[in-house]
Amino acid sequence: MNLLKEQLCTAMCADISLTEVGDGSYFVSTPFTFSDGDNYAIYLNRLASGGWRITDHGLTMMHLSYDLDIDKLKDGTRAKIFEQILGEHGLETDDGELFIEVPADALSNGIFTFGQGITRIHDLSLLSRINVESTFYDDLKEKLLEICGDGLEINYSVPGLADHKLYPIDFAISSKKPLFIFGVSNREKARLATIILQYLQKNHVVFRSLIVYQDMWAIPRSDLSRLTAAANDQIPSLDNVDDLERKIVDATAA
């Protein structure tokens, strides 16, 4: 056990080094890297109390910005995850800088905790499929609000229609012929949207419909075919923002 401990400590210490960068500040080089191969930015600044401020000088958020609009961390699903990560690792932020302050005798644990936090924050650009689906609706809502403003109704249902609460519409835009918009991120939502559209048509509701897919080609062909037949129009993905705005303008002007 002692030999193993000695081997592990030697191996780990060989992969970690300190470089003085001026003003009593040190750069901590570790084996941990971002996806582009750059090392994690971990710096140590001595505090007047004798402890240490462990900081990234804002470089983690800079790397994250390569793959993600940083403003999306201010609200919605990503914001909740971001705040949860900060809380769990005791991290604080200041104008994009991530940091944690620790007493001198807790420096090693602080560095490990800081590194774990950086890893999880950087992984926000690589969200799991489930979380990506959640952010898809946040992103769609944001785009629609930019286009429609106060004219957008969220989680709408047709008043006066029997069991209307059982047939929710993601977004509705009032016009001579209302436009109902459904966000579709997976097979199950494609099937639900098809059922709702068919129910509305069966009950002679006057409307136009627009389907916005997270990824149209990820939906099985049979489900895609049924939904295409039921809907008036569709957008393959949110990458087609110009098409989305044009189709909304055309549909609400009719």
Side-chain angles (χ1 to χ4, degrees):
M1 181 68 75
N2 289 334
L3 178 60
L4 178 59
K5 181 178 179 180
E6 182 179 343
Q7 290 174 335
L8 284 173
C9 289
T10 301
M12 292 177 72
C13 288
D15 289 330
I16 298 176
S17 63
L18 285 176
T19 303
E20 188 169 3
V21 293
D23 298 327
S25 180
Y26 299 89
F27 171 70
V28 183
S29 176
T30 70
F32 306 117
T33 62
F34 295 108
S35 55
D36 62 1
D38 286 351
N39 287 93
Y40 280 6
I42 302 178
Y43 294 85
L44 305 179
N45 295 332
R46 175 70 79 172
L47 298 173
S49 64
W52 294 93
R53 180 186 177 106
I54 307 171
T55 173
D56 71 343
H57 290 326
L59 295 177
T60 300
M61 300 303 285
M62 183 188 75
H63 275 84
L64 193 61
S65 71
Y66 298 159
D67 301 305
L68 178 68
D69 182 353
I70 297 301
D71 286 339
K72 293 186 182 298
L73 296 179
K74 296 178 181 178
D75 52 40
T77 302
R78 291 188 184 94
K80 293 178 183 177
I81 298 173
F82 182 61
E83 290 298 327
Q84 180 180 342
I85 293 171
L86 294 179
E88 290 178 355
H89 295 278
L91 303 184
E92 297 182 62
T93 61
D94 181 16
D95 195 25
E97 176 190 12
L98 299 172
F99 68 93
I100 184 174
E101 296 184 351
V102 297
D105 60 1
L107 180 58
S108 59
N109 285 338
I111 291 174
F112 278 115
T113 298
F114 193 71
Q116 287 178 312
I118 289 178
T119 298
R120 292 188 61 194
I121 288 171
H122 189 255
D123 281 349
L124 286 173
S125 62
L126 304 169
L127 289 169
S128 69
R129 182 175 180 81
I130 292 175
N131 286 330
V132 167
E133 290 176 358
S134 297
T135 61
F136 163 70
Y137 290 101
D138 289 336
D139 295 342
L140 175 56
K141 176 182 173 181
E142 179 182 327
K143 295 297 182 187
L144 292 176
L145 285 171
E146 289 176 3
I147 296 170
C148 308
D150 295 337
L152 183 71
E153 294 191 63
I154 303 168
N155 295 325
Y156 178 78
S157 60
V158 179
L161 191 64
D163 298 323
H164 64 97
K165 293 295 185 182
L166 298 178
Y167 300 90
I169 298 155
D170 292 340
F171 306 97
I173 303 173
S174 298
S175 64
K176 185 175 181 180
K177 185 180 286 187
L179 177 64
F180 296 160
I181 301 174
F182 295 85
V184 172
S185 60
N186 54 40
R187 178 180 192 174
E188 290 71 24
K189 184 57 184 291
R191 292 181 172 181
L192 177 60
T194 301
I195 290 171
I196 294 172
L197 288 172
Q198 291 175 340
Y199 180 80
L200 296 176
Q201 292 161 1
K202 179 182 177 181
N203 284 273
H204 309 293
V205 177
V206 177
F207 70 99
R208 288 187 62 81
S209 58
L210 174 63
I211 307 300
V212 182
Y213 296 92
Q214 179 180 329
D215 180 0
M216 184 177 186
W217 311 117
I219 306 299
R221 182 174 298 180
S222 58
D223 297 294
L224 183 60
S225 178
R226 285 190 291 268
L227 183 51
T228 300
N232 294 113
D233 212 342
Q234 50 196 357
I235 298 290
S237 78
L238 271 180
D239 292 334
N240 306 82
V241 176
D242 291 341
D243 290 337
L244 176 62
E245 183 170 2
R246 175 176 56 79
K247 292 193 175 190
I248 288 176
V249 171
D250 290 345
T252 54

